[in-house]
């Protein structure tokens, strides 16, 4: 009986990792190439964009919110960054401007959902539409391309044998893990998702934490947008559209509760 | 041989290998009022949850009217005529009283809800219980006493033979407890058997026919109420003798630390008072008198329409709890489930939250130091838990309350407001809490305490302010403080 119980909670806790292992075993039996280093790296590279975005989304979902605008952020950031670069702006500045833009988007999402008490799903859906619109206006629906070699490194370069996007993703996961587990910001995010009223009465500044979560989400998404831009070498106003579903699915599969407050970032990682 | 309605045979329930109740065999006689007492975490709630089918058994059987109860089947228990009023409210605050009364048991006509019939019937049930409540009002707009009435009405909306009440009087004031007793006796006169759990031993002595005493998951013994005394109950519960004594009221006049002028909101009218360093000020009154509301204004949890607050003679602008805490004010709220705790988070995180930034250096939390400090308080309060990582949902009611107290003790506020701090806490631990409150006052902290338990309020406070319908109706000091004086002012 007791053993059963333990087994059950063990499965609940580690199910996502088990599925991952089973998949790996299964695929390596079906195809001898599966476990080859090349192939693993390939898979990781494919998921890296969405994987990066999920880090940001995790923060927002943990507070009990959601951000559907991330697909638009990817598109808009790509378009802005590209337009600046083809007009002769140094990539570093172009990236900086894109990140600032993304932070503003996050701030707007936070203001509307927290101050005006609107439902985050609706606020961010509206943001998504606006961002899509902006991308089309800026590009006139024509793809933008022709970047410098140094910019391509972000999406196509390697550090030793490992592609840079994978490294960026791994670094972000480690940072997110540290923030969520060891900092007061991380712990209060979990707390807010658990019972916002109780947290308010303990004197924690809920506004600040929620703003930070939305801004972080947009910022991290912008990083994904820049990696994507660099990898495909072209800015499309339709880039990133529909990614939000993959991202949310990944996060939820990884054990992040949609109602907030529950789940670990390591699970999200395995979710992909 | 008397008629046994409920028979528990070797009932055992383990959580993570630890026995919450250990092989309990207990017979309940038809028509009796049976009291159950025991310290926090003794297993009282667990025992009745096995009867109601809310949780599974690890071992043992339960028979109701000589039929085996299906384990872990609340439906079976309800069908057979067992009803439970749980320790924590299970009402839907945004729904009307009548909807709550018939939740899950809706009356239907042609497949649709028959609202008029439900309204009519719930009104009837409540009237019969002696409550005059508008059944159309939303539950969240009513006072806790009426929540309890709604819970009871809900539990008897169908054919009931046994009703189990887990600390039903905890959220009520004395007057309302009287009303509750009338209800219980009325139910009992109609032939319904009652199991009644409470930490208030005087209630148990007054109401019950027999009493079972639990300690650490074991049934110590069952006694006839007329053959026992409160002292004997305590001795069996705790394993030692405890006297309900309040710490002596040492108090020397010190400077005023908190002054409120004309606090006003829709439920509070022009309330002014001051509190000195080292002073314990009690707030008396009936439920709904506006005591909690006043404190929420002071703490910035609700917005005041007018009024000023001075801390150490400086006017402070408190619009939210963040600002109150910055000014050294802490509030232990009365509603632990919604306001006091994040139920699905650990004891550790819950206790840490108010002091989170005090233990944060360069964004990182000092886990070691904070854990040690929290442990210190949980030890004093005798918190019963596996470890600090246990989530609060899995604690017994009284132990949850201890977590709420821990988190505010850790914060070490200059001015501490305690709203019903000992609700659901056992006799022994109450003494520890009284001692803690007194020690805080001796350190020069200012204490405001709201309590529905008259002896507690009188025993602890240097000065008592009484409220009625949002107005401050009087102040009592020293010799003036008596139960009658408070009651008179409370009804003004
Ligand atoms: N879901 C759970 N998981 C783990 N332990 C539990 C769970 N529910 C109860 N317990 C443990 O079982 C023991 C008995 O708890 P119970 O709620 O029955 O106590 P109680 O006598 O009702 O106390 P109180 O007076 O505080 O309400 C406690 O030690 C508690 O921590
Ligand atoms: Mg209990």
């Amino acid at each position: 009986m007791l053993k059963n119980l333990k087994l059950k909670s063990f499965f609940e806790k580690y199910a996502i990792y088990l599925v991952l292992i089973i998949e790996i075993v299964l695929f390596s039996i079906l195809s001898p190439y599966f476990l080859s280093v090349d192939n693993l790296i390939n898979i990781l590279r494919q998921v890296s964009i969405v994987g990066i975005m999920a880090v940001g989304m995790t923060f927002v979902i943990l507070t009990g919110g959601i951000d559907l605008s991330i697909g638009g952020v990817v598109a808009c950031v790509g378009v802005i960054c590209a337009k600046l670069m083809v007009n002769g702006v140094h990539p570093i500045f172009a990236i900086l401007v894109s990140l600032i833009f993304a932070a503003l988007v996050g701030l707007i999402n936070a203001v509307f959902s927290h101050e005006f008490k609107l439902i985050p799903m609706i606020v961010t859906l509206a943001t998504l539409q606006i961002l899509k619109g902006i991308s089309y206006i800026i590009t006139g629906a024509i793809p933008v391309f022709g970047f410098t070699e140094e910019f391509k490194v972000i999406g196509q370069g390697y550090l030793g044998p490992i592609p840079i996007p994978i490294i960026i993703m791994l670094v972000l996961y480690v940072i997110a893990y540290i923030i969520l587990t060891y900092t007061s910001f991380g712990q209060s995010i979990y707390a807010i998702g658990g019972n916002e009223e109780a947290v308010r009465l303990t004197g924690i500044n809920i506004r600040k934490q929620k703003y930070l979560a939305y801004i972080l989400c947009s910022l991290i998404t912008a990083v994904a947008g820049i990696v994507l831009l660099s990898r495909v070498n072209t800015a499309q106003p339709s880039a990133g559209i529909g990614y939000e579903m993959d991202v949310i699915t990944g996060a939820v599969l990884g054990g992040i509760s949609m109602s907030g407050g529950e789940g670990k970032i390591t699970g999200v990682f395995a979710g992909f | 041989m008397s008629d046994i309605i409920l028979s528990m045979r070797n009932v055992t329930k383990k959580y993570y290998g630890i026995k919450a109740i250990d092989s309990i065999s207990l017979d309940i006689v038809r028509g009796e009022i049976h009291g159950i007492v025991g310290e926090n975490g003794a297993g009282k709630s667990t025992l009745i949850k096995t009867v109601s089918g809310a949780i599974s058994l690890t071992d043992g059987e339960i028979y109701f009217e000589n039929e085996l109860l299906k384990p872990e089947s609340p439906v079976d228990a309800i069908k057979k005529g067992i009803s439970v009023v749980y320790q924590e409210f299970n009402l839907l605050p945004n729904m009307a009283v009548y909807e709550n009364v018939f939740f899950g048991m809706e009356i239907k006509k042609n497949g649709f809800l028959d609202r008029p019939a439900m309204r009519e019937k719930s009104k009837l049930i409540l009237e019969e219980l002696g409550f005059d409540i508008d059944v159309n009002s939303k539950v969240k707009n009513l006072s806790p006493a009426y929540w309890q009435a709604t819970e009871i009405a809900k539990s008897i909306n169908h054919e009931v033979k046994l009703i189990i009440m887990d600390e039903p009087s905890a959220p009520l004031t004395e007057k309302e407890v009287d009303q509750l007793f009338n209800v219980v006796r009325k139910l009992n006169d109609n032939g319904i058997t009652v199991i009644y759990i409470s930490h208030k031993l005087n209630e148990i002595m007054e109401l019950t026919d027999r009493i079972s005493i639990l300690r650490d998951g074991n049934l110590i013994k069952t006694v006839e109420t007329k053959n026992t005394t409160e002292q004997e109950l305590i001795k069996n519960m705790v394993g030692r003798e405890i006297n309900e004594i309040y710490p002596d009221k040492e108090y020397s006049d010190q400077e005023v630390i908190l002054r409120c002028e004309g606090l006003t909101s829709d439920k509070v009218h022009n309330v002014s008072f001051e509190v000195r360093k080292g002073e314990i000020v009690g707030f008396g009154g009936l439920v709904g008198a506006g005591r909690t509301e006043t404190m929420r204004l002071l703490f910035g949890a609700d917005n005041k329409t007018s009024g000023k607050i001075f801390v150490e003679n400086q006017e402070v602008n408190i619009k939210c709890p963040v600002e109150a805490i910055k000014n050294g004010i802490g509030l232990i709220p009365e509603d632990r489930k919604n306001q006091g705790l994040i139920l699905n988070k650990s004891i550790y995180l819950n206790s840490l939250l108010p002091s989170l930034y005090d233990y944060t250096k360069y964004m990182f939390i000092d886990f070691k130091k904070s854990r040690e400090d929290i442990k210190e308080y949980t030890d004093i309060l005798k918190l019963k838990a596996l470890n600090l990582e246990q989530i609060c949902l899995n604690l017994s009611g009284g132990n949850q309350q201890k977590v709420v107290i821990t988190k505010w003790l850790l914060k070490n506020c200059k001015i501490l407001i305690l709203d019903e701090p000992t609700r659901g806490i056992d006799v022994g631990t109450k003494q520890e809490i009284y001692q803690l409150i007194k020690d805080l006052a001796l350190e020069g902290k200012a204490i405001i305490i709201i309590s529905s338990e008259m002896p507690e309020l009188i025993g602890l406070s240097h000065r008592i302010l009484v409220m009625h319908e949002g107005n401050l109706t009087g102040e009592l000091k020293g010799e003036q403080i008596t139960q009658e004086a408070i009651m008179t002012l409370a009804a003004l």
Side-chain angles (χ1 to χ4, degrees):
Chain A
M1 177 69 206
L2 179 66
K3 224 177 167 181
N4 256 333
L5 231 150
K6 269 198 175 154
L7 217 59
K8 197 175 144 216
S9 63
F10 177 82
F11 271 118
E12 272 170 13
K13 235 175 164 170
Y14 298 110
I16 189 78
Y17 304 104
L18 279 174
V19 172
L20 186 70
I21 291 169
I22 293 170
E23 273 182 6
I24 291 176
V25 171
L26 205 68
F27 287 142
S28 30
I29 295 170
L30 290 177
S31 149
Y33 298 111
F34 183 80
L35 257 190
S36 71
V37 175
D38 278 357
N39 191 42
L40 279 184
I41 286 182
N42 220 342
I43 291 176
L44 273 178
R45 186 162 57 189
Q46 275 171 20
V47 300
S48 61
I49 306 285
V50 177
I52 291 172
M53 291 162 79
V55 176
M57 182 64 86
T58 300
F59 284 97
V60 171
I61 295 184
L62 280 178
T63 65
I66 192 142
D67 188 349
L68 296 181
S69 71
I70 52 173
V73 172
V74 167
C76 229
V77 158
V79 167
I80 291 174
C81 192
K83 266 284 176 197
L84 287 173
M85 286 192 297
V86 293
N87 284 315
V89 177
H90 191 278
I92 301 241
F93 285 109
I95 291 174
L96 222 62
V97 171
S98 317
L99 291 181
I100 293 172
F101 173 78
L104 279 176
V105 172
L107 184 66
I108 290 170
N109 281 338
V111 167
F112 276 92
S113 50
H114 187 75
E115 307 303 331
F116 300 114
K117 308 262 179 275
L118 298 172
I119 301 166
M121 195 183 292
I122 295 183
V123 171
T124 55
L125 205 57
T127 318
L128 172 67
Q129 299 305 337
I130 293 169
L131 291 175
K132 269 195 209 167
I134 295 178
S135 330
Y136 276 102
I137 292 168
I138 294 180
T139 56
I142 304 163
V144 188
F145 48 83
F147 316 133
T148 58
E149 281 306 312
E150 44 186 348
F151 181 71
K152 289 182 192 162
V153 172
I154 304 174
Q156 301 173 20
Y158 285 84
L159 196 75
I162 309 169
I164 304 258
I166 297 182
I167 295 182
I168 295 180
M169 175 175 74
L170 292 178
V171 167
L172 284 175
Y173 271 95
V174 171
I175 295 177
Y177 176 79
I178 293 173
I179 291 181
L180 285 175
T181 323
Y182 298 111
T183 69
S184 44
F185 167 62
Q187 289 296 307
S188 32
I189 279 201
Y190 275 108
I192 290 171
N195 179 352
E196 189 170 327
E197 178 60 8
V199 176
R200 186 175 81 94
L201 294 178
T202 60
I204 282 179
N205 192 333
I206 290 187
R207 172 183 291 134
K208 193 170 124 196
Q209 319 293 336
K210 280 198 165 172
Y211 277 36
L212 266 176
Y214 277 99
I215 291 172
L216 261 180
C217 178
S218 281
L219 272 178
I220 294 172
T221 306
V223 171
I226 289 162
V227 172
L228 181 69
L229 176 67
S230 162
R231 207 175 84 197
V232 298
N233 237 333
T234 325
Q236 302 258 15
S238 61
I241 301 301
Y243 277 21
E244 58 277 354
M245 273 309 136
D246 290 350
V247 169
I248 295 169
T249 312
V252 171
L253 276 182
I256 305 292
S257 151
M258 287 302 286
S259 49
E262 296 287 342
K264 291 214 167 66
I265 190 83
T266 44
V268 176
F269 185 63
F272 284 99
Chain B
M1 185 59 198
S2 42
D3 182 8
I4 306 294
I5 184 165
L6 180 76
S7 173
M8 296 174 234
R9 312 247 174 99
N10 299 315
V11 176
T12 301
K13 173 71 189 175
K14 285 187 193 172
Y15 285 111
Y16 308 110
I18 295 169
K19 285 178 183 159
I21 46 175
D22 187 2
S23 193
I24 290 188
S25 297
L26 175 62
D27 287 338
I28 306 292
V29 178
R30 188 185 299 277
E32 75 171 331
I33 302 181
H34 196 105
I36 299 184
V37 297
E39 290 186 285
N40 294 131
K44 304 179 296 295
S45 299
T46 306
L47 187 67
I48 66 146
K49 281 184 199 156
T50 61
V51 174
S52 72
I55 57 176
S56 64
L57 300 180
T58 309
D59 208 1
E61 287 117 38
I62 302 172
Y63 293 87
F64 187 71
E65 300 190 314
N66 296 321
E67 267 180 65
L68 187 67
L69 270 182
K70 274 194 213 140
E72 218 183 338
S73 167
V75 180
D76 186 45
I78 291 171
K79 249 200 245 152
K80 289 199 164 96
I82 302 175
S83 216
V84 181
V85 178
Y86 287 107
Q87 191 167 5
E88 311 289 343
F89 288 113
N90 290 300
L91 298 174
L92 302 162
N94 281 318
M95 291 176 89
V97 169
Y98 78 90
E99 288 171 309
N100 269 288
V101 169
F102 281 98
F103 188 75
M105 313 275 278
E106 292 86 356
I107 304 177
K108 292 194 183 130
K109 203 162 83 184
N110 308 327
F112 290 97
L113 293 184
D114 187 356
R115 287 180 189 275
M118 293 200 289
R119 271 188 207 115
E120 196 52 39
K121 196 148 176 240
S122 35
K123 197 163 156 50
L124 219 71
I125 297 175
L126 284 163
E127 264 170 15
E128 202 172 314
L129 294 176
F131 290 96
D132 180 22
I133 307 179
D134 175 10
V135 294
N136 290 313
S137 51
K138 284 188 180 168
V139 166
K140 68 171 177 198
N141 298 332
L142 299 173
S143 77
Y146 288 157
W147 296 354
Q148 199 60 274
T150 310
E151 281 278 8
I152 294 172
K154 184 172 150 189
S155 68
I156 57 170
N157 68 7
H158 57 289
E159 189 71 24
V160 179
K161 292 171 186 162
L162 169 68
I163 180 164
I164 308 178
M165 300 181 166
D166 196 354
E167 295 188 41
S169 64
L172 307 182
T173 56
E174 253 155 78
K175 200 173 144 209
E176 291 150 337
V177 172
D178 285 343
Q179 206 170 350
L180 174 74
F181 278 18
N182 287 336
V183 171
V184 173
R185 290 201 180 100
K186 202 176 268 174
L187 293 172
N188 191 238
D189 288 344
N190 293 338
I192 298 176
T193 312
V194 181
I195 298 180
Y196 189 96
I197 300 177
S198 179
H199 286 295
K200 299 177 185 165
L201 298 180
N202 54 339
E203 291 179 3
I204 292 277
M205 293 299 291
E206 190 183 329
L207 196 63
T208 62
D209 302 312
R210 290 197 303 156
I211 305 168
S212 290
I213 303 154
L214 297 189
R215 192 202 307 163
D216 292 331
N218 295 296
L219 179 64
I220 299 298
K221 62 171 156 183
T222 300
V223 294
E224 298 270 333
T225 305
K226 56 179 185 291
N227 296 336
T228 190
T229 61
E230 278 187 39
Q231 273 311 315
E232 195 191 331
L233 289 179
I234 293 175
K235 218 170 104 191
N236 283 303
M237 276 166 62
V238 193
R240 65 193 154 92
E241 291 207 30
I242 286 180
N243 292 313
E244 249 204 74
I245 35 167
Y246 295 90
D248 22 303
K249 299 185 179 183
E250 296 161 40
Y251 177 63
S252 52
D253 255 359
Q254 298 180 48
E255 69 264 37
V256 172
I257 184 167
L258 172 76
R259 195 165 88 239
C260 296
E261 280 179 12
L263 292 184
T264 303
S265 73
D266 52 345
K267 288 190 189 125
V268 178
H269 314 301
N270 199 16
V271 170
S272 306
F273 61 93
E274 49 182 47
V275 183
R276 290 167 184 276
K277 273 188 172 181
E279 192 182 24
I280 303 173
V281 176
F283 271 74
L286 304 172
V287 167
R291 296 175 296 171
T292 297
E293 285 76 11
T294 306
M295 295 312 146
R296 284 177 62 88
L297 294 185
L298 170 53
F299 188 62
D302 295 330
N303 287 327
K304 51 183 185 292
T305 45
S306 66
K308 290 179 181 164
I309 299 166
F310 298 84
V311 174
E312 289 170 335
N313 285 322
Q314 290 278 320
E315 180 166 0
V316 290
N317 184 10
I318 294 176
K319 284 215 209 76
C320 61
V322 180
E323 284 151 5
I325 291 166
K326 240 182 239 154
N327 285 298
I329 305 175
L331 169 70
I332 297 182
E334 66 173 337
D335 179 354
R336 64 171 168 258
K337 194 171 161 189
N338 295 311
Q339 302 174 352
L341 289 177
I342 310 164
L343 284 175
N344 57 3
K345 291 286 164 231
S346 66
I347 298 171
Y348 171 75
L349 182 60
N350 270 294
S351 312
L352 179 66
L353 277 181
S355 327
L356 185 61
Y357 296 111
D358 306 339
Y359 287 99
T360 301
K361 253 193 229 133
Y362 309 114
M363 284 168 61
F364 288 90
I365 301 169
D366 186 344
F367 285 106
K368 190 160 168 282
K369 179 88 173 59
S370 53
R371 209 170 289 270
E372 281 168 10
D373 292 355
I374 290 170
K375 192 91 183 59
E376 214 171 285
Y377 286 112
T378 53
D379 282 348
I380 298 178
L381 294 173
K382 300 202 185 69
L383 182 86
K384 196 176 167 197
L386 296 174
N387 52 45
L388 290 184
E389 297 317 314
Q390 191 173 353
I391 64 168
C392 294
L393 191 64
N394 292 345
L395 295 174
S396 79
N399 283 302
Q400 289 177 356
Q401 182 66 24
K402 292 179 192 175
V403 177
V404 186
I405 296 179
T406 300
K407 78 187 224 189
W408 285 105
L409 288 179
L410 188 70
K411 180 66 191 173
N412 204 8
C413 298
K414 282 184 295 194
I415 301 161
L416 187 59
I417 308 164
L418 304 102
D419 196 350
E420 306 287 356
T422 61
R423 176 172 292 175
I425 298 239
D426 63 47
V427 218
T429 313
K430 264 187 190 170
Q431 301 304 317
E432 308 289 344
I433 292 178
Y434 297 154
Q435 191 57 46
L436 270 171
I437 292 176
K438 185 195 161 194
D439 289 345
L440 288 176
L442 278 181
E443 280 171 30
K445 306 267 156 61
I447 309 284
I448 297 176
I449 179 168
I450 299 178
S451 176
S452 305
E453 278 181 61
M454 210 62 102
E456 176 173 293
L457 200 64
I458 296 173
L460 279 174
S461 315
H462 300 125
R463 188 153 60 88
I464 288 181
L465 301 172
V466 186
M467 290 186 71
H468 175 67
E469 291 185 349
N471 297 300
L472 212 53
T473 48
E475 174 177 341
L476 301 167
K477 268 190 223 160
E479 299 292 296
Q480 300 170 321
I481 302 180
T482 61
Q483 194 141 336
E484 294 73 46
I486 297 174
M487 287 317 290
T488 317
L489 289 170
L492 267 189

